[in-house]
Amino acid sequence: MRSPGSPAGPSPPRPPLLRWFVLAAMVIGMLLPIVPLVIWSFAFRWSFPDLLPERWSLRAWRYLAAPESQVLPALRDSLLLAGAVTLLATLIGVPAGRALGMYRFRGRAVIEMLILAPLIVPAFAVSLGIQIVFIRYGLADTFLGVTLVHLVPATPYMALVMAGVFANFDRQYEDLARTLGARPLQVWRWVTLPAVLPGLVVGALFVFLISWSQYALTLIIGGGRLVTLPMLLFAFARSGDNAVTAALSLVFIAPAVVLLALIARFLGAAPAAGGIRGL
Amino acid sequence: MTALQLCNLTKTYPGAPAPAVRDLSLEAAPGELVALLGASGCGKSTTLRLVAGLLTPCRGDVRFDGRSVLGAPPERRGVAMVFQKPLLLPHMSVGENVGFGLRVRGERPATIRRRVDELLELVQLPGSAARRPGQLSGGQEQRVALARALIVEPRVLLLDEPFSQLDAGLRAEMRDLVAGLQRRLGITTLLVTHDQEEALLLADRIALLEQGRLLQYDTPRGLYERPASLAVARFLGGRNFIPGRVAGRRFISDAGAFELAAEPPLQGAAVLTIRPEALALGCDGPVNRLRGTVTAARYLGARMRYQIQAGALVLEALADAASLYRPGDPVNLTLPPERLWVMGGERQ
């Protein structure tokens, strides 16, 4: 923290002009693609040479809210699914990351490889094999089955993020808390969790978004019974109704933006791997 | 006040070729401060963690007041530990850090606040409960860590080189503070250190460890003046070792015979030693006189350190800084019989 010679001092300020330029470029790069979506979602007719639609309408938004579009149930299922995946990936990924980040043990390299494997081999490639197994065990076409298959690409991210966080965590803090009378759960609540929370939140966001944007796995394992937002989005995009597609895209983007805003304060802290560190 | 007993304690880490601690037995009387002294890797920190319950011994027992505590997890042993680093929890204030041990025990907030103030007073940081750990200096952080350990009123206090990361002035100050508090509160204490000066200064008794084995367990004076073996003498800065053999009250070596003050318990092959500061330069004692030549002189401030060649012997002497021998000067030296010590000849 205050070790002599650590490069803790602030970096010299960059020229303001360059900074503003970079900031503007980032904002434009993030927001610009959204602008046409917003316009499209309120357009009734918008033909080629016009800068703006000639007629505006709430048709697309009304349609999304209507029961026949299935958007609201799909939104609910997508949220439930991503929530369940996030919860399970956290329960698996945090202990796994802790083991990988904190301990040296026999077979560690192999386990690390196995955890990384789903990131190297696309889950889609093995999903057909998974589907056969899932059909046998009655998991195909079920919410639980889709949750499990989403864990395949999602859990490695959680484990890797937490491995980085725990590699920087000084275990003596836990020893100290134990000797002062804290039971293991109290150690976790008062010492370990506050230290790893920033990394954990960022990892959870990754996992949520991976599940949220999953299309192929949901389609194969869900068998069309479980309809999530990405599946509706594909359907509308193919139907050629630009207004409805644009509106649905905005609904699809919204949770990511909201979550990102909520956890923005953790993002800066995440590279520092969370609060408590050794000197 | 708790009596601490370690019985045949042995710990081998998984995969390690040799035990980190082997067959270690020692006891500390209630209120005693025992230093575990040794070079790094001698097993002293392992011993501390075995007492704390952070490690489980392979064999042996840890007893508080005669009762084994091996069955109790660290949080129910009634120990408190201070580490090399202060390890203040950065998301808590100084007061919350100090009160941590009471909070996890479910004490009432009012009680915790009162005790925190008392303890901060005790470590000479009154009124700093609201400060953040980052606002403190290294020495202050370590004092907060001490207060945090003492607030739980431990049966045994474990100090793991708590002064090693402080600079010299602060270290002396912290040593005095710890020594004073330990005496006043009468807490049985184990201090791990690699610094012999620190061990001599603070400890009632010192356990000198080497490669997991207990070499000698004695008072600071006993360890310093009556080392049981060459290894002990060497670790405590012994320099002058004369091989030979004991015959009655005399020690016979190639460099001549020396009179001893009393007949040592051992006879036969042995090593004679004398502390550099016990060599008398320039005066002719009644016995054990040698003539030599100064081969090196070093000014140490309070003392002069001389290297003296006397026949085949090379001896080191510490003398008053006012002495003015220069390399090449002849010098008379006397080895006073009462300052000579004979140890068993052993593996070199």
Side-chain angles (χ1 to χ4, degrees), chain B residues 46-321:
Chain B
T46 302
T47 307
L48 211 61
R49 298 174 75 80
L50 289 169
V51 175
L54 296 169
L55 288 174
T56 310
C58 301
R59 272 191 293 112
D61 200 0
V62 178
R63 294 184 192 144
F64 291 179
D65 285 334
R67 292 180 50 180
S68 175
V69 293
L70 284 189
E75 66 268 25
R76 280 195 272 123
R77 286 213 177 168
V79 300
M81 199 157 163
V82 178
F83 296 72
Q84 263 185 47
K85 290 187 273 176
L87 299 176
L88 300 187
L89 297 166
H91 54 281
M92 294 183 186
S93 71
V94 166
E96 285 168 326
N97 265 289
V98 173
F100 182 83
L102 297 183
R103 184 178 182 181
V104 294
R105 281 171 172 75
E107 288 284 348
R108 297 206 331 274
T111 315
I112 298 177
R113 263 198 304 279
R114 183 173 53 77
R115 290 283 290 146
V116 166
D117 288 342
E118 280 173 21
L119 264 297
L120 283 174
E121 191 100 24
L122 208 59
V123 298
Q124 297 158 19
L125 285 170
S128 49
R131 295 171 74 181
R132 307 299 303 182
Q135 299 171 322
L136 303 179
S137 71
Q140 289 172 328
E141 284 189 340
Q142 198 57 298
R143 277 190 270 164
V144 172
L146 184 65
R148 178 174 58 181
L150 291 175
I151 203 169
V152 301
E153 295 179 340
R155 301 178 71 185
V156 175
L157 179 64
L158 304 172
L159 306 174
D160 192 357
E161 311 223 16
F163 317 115
S164 64
Q165 298 211 336
L166 303 173
D167 52 43
L170 272 177
R171 198 181 310 156
E173 200 179 299
M174 267 298 280
R175 280 174 184 163
D176 291 346
L177 179 71
V178 168
L181 284 178
Q182 194 269 339
R183 296 275 183 280
R184 204 160 106 210
L185 303 174
I187 305 173
T188 311
T189 302
L190 271 186
L191 166 73
V192 159
T193 180
H194 62 267
D195 183 339
Q196 51 145 319
E197 194 191 325
E198 186 169 293
L200 293 173
L201 180 75
L202 293 177
D204 297 307
R205 279 194 283 175
I206 299 173
L208 185 64
L209 301 178
E210 188 190 66
Q211 291 174 352
R213 270 187 307 253
L214 182 63
L215 291 184
Q216 190 171 354
Y217 185 41
D218 209 335
T219 60
R221 187 178 285 275
L223 206 65
Y224 193 79
E225 295 179 1
R226 299 182 295 277
S229 64
L230 203 55
V232 175
R234 281 227 173 87
F235 191 88
L236 288 161
R239 311 286 293 186
N240 303 321
F241 302 110
I242 306 166
R245 61 192 173 81
V246 179
R249 273 188 56 186
R250 290 163 65 82
F251 185 87
I252 319 289
S253 77
D254 294 345
F258 297 94
E259 295 287 331
L260 303 174
E263 191 168 322
L266 61 120
Q267 297 287 319
V271 176
L272 182 75
T273 185
I274 182 165
R275 286 270 155 196
E277 65 271 21
L279 274 172
L281 295 189
C283 57
D284 277 331
V287 290
N288 298 348
R289 286 186 301 269
L290 288 174
R291 285 197 59 77
T293 310
V294 174
T295 53
R298 284 263 177 279
Y299 178 66
L300 301 178
R303 302 284 192 92
M304 287 295 296
R305 189 175 68 199
Y306 296 109
Q307 203 180 58
I308 295 159
Q309 183 92 38
L313 283 180
V314 177
L315 296 175
E316 195 176 292
L318 280 173
D320 195 87

Side-chain angles (χ1 to χ4, degrees), chain A residues 17-85:
Chain A
L17 191 68
L18 180 63
R19 202 162 26 163
W20 282 114
F21 179 77
V22 170
L23 199 62
M26 282 166 66
V27 169
I28 290 169
M30 301 262 288
L31 293 185
L32 207 57
I34 296 179
V35 173
L37 288 181
V38 175
I39 299 173
W40 258 121
S41 72
F42 290 103
F44 186 75
R45 196 181 305 130
W46 191 11
S47 38
F48 166 60
D50 300 339
L51 191 60
L52 288 172
E54 52 189 282
R55 270 185 68 196
W56 300 89
S57 150
L58 284 173
R59 178 189 66 90
W61 291 102
R62 273 203 210 96
Y63 178 71
L64 290 194
E68 69 264 26
S69 73
Q70 294 183 344
V71 167
L72 290 181
L75 180 64
R76 183 201 63 207
D77 285 352
S78 274
L79 282 173
L80 282 177
L81 183 62
V85 170

Side-chain angles (χ1 to χ4, degrees), chain A residues 46-158:
Chain A
W46 191 11
S47 38
F48 166 60
D50 300 339
L51 191 60
L52 288 172
E54 52 189 282
R55 270 185 68 196
W56 300 89
S57 150
L58 284 173
R59 178 189 66 90
W61 291 102
R62 273 203 210 96
Y63 178 71
L64 290 194
E68 69 264 26
S69 73
Q70 294 183 344
V71 167
L72 290 181
L75 180 64
R76 183 201 63 207
D77 285 352
S78 274
L79 282 173
L80 282 177
L81 183 62
V85 170
T86 307
L87 184 71
L88 289 174
T90 305
L91 289 180
I92 302 166
V94 171
R98 180 187 171 97
L100 285 177
M102 278 171 83
Y103 307 116
R104 299 280 161 269
F105 52 90
R106 195 191 298 264
R108 184 174 177 280
V110 175
I111 290 175
E112 206 167 38
M113 257 277 293
L114 287 175
I115 286 183
L116 277 170
L119 300 184
I120 300 161
V121 182
F124 184 60
V126 290
S127 57
L128 290 175
I130 293 176
Q131 192 200 18
I132 292 168
V133 176
F134 274 20
I135 288 171
R136 184 168 304 160
Y137 290 103
L139 287 167
D141 303 357
T142 65
F143 183 85
L144 179 62
V146 176
T147 307
L148 290 178
V149 82
H150 276 200
L151 284 176
V152 174
T155 313
Y157 281 97
M158 196 64 180

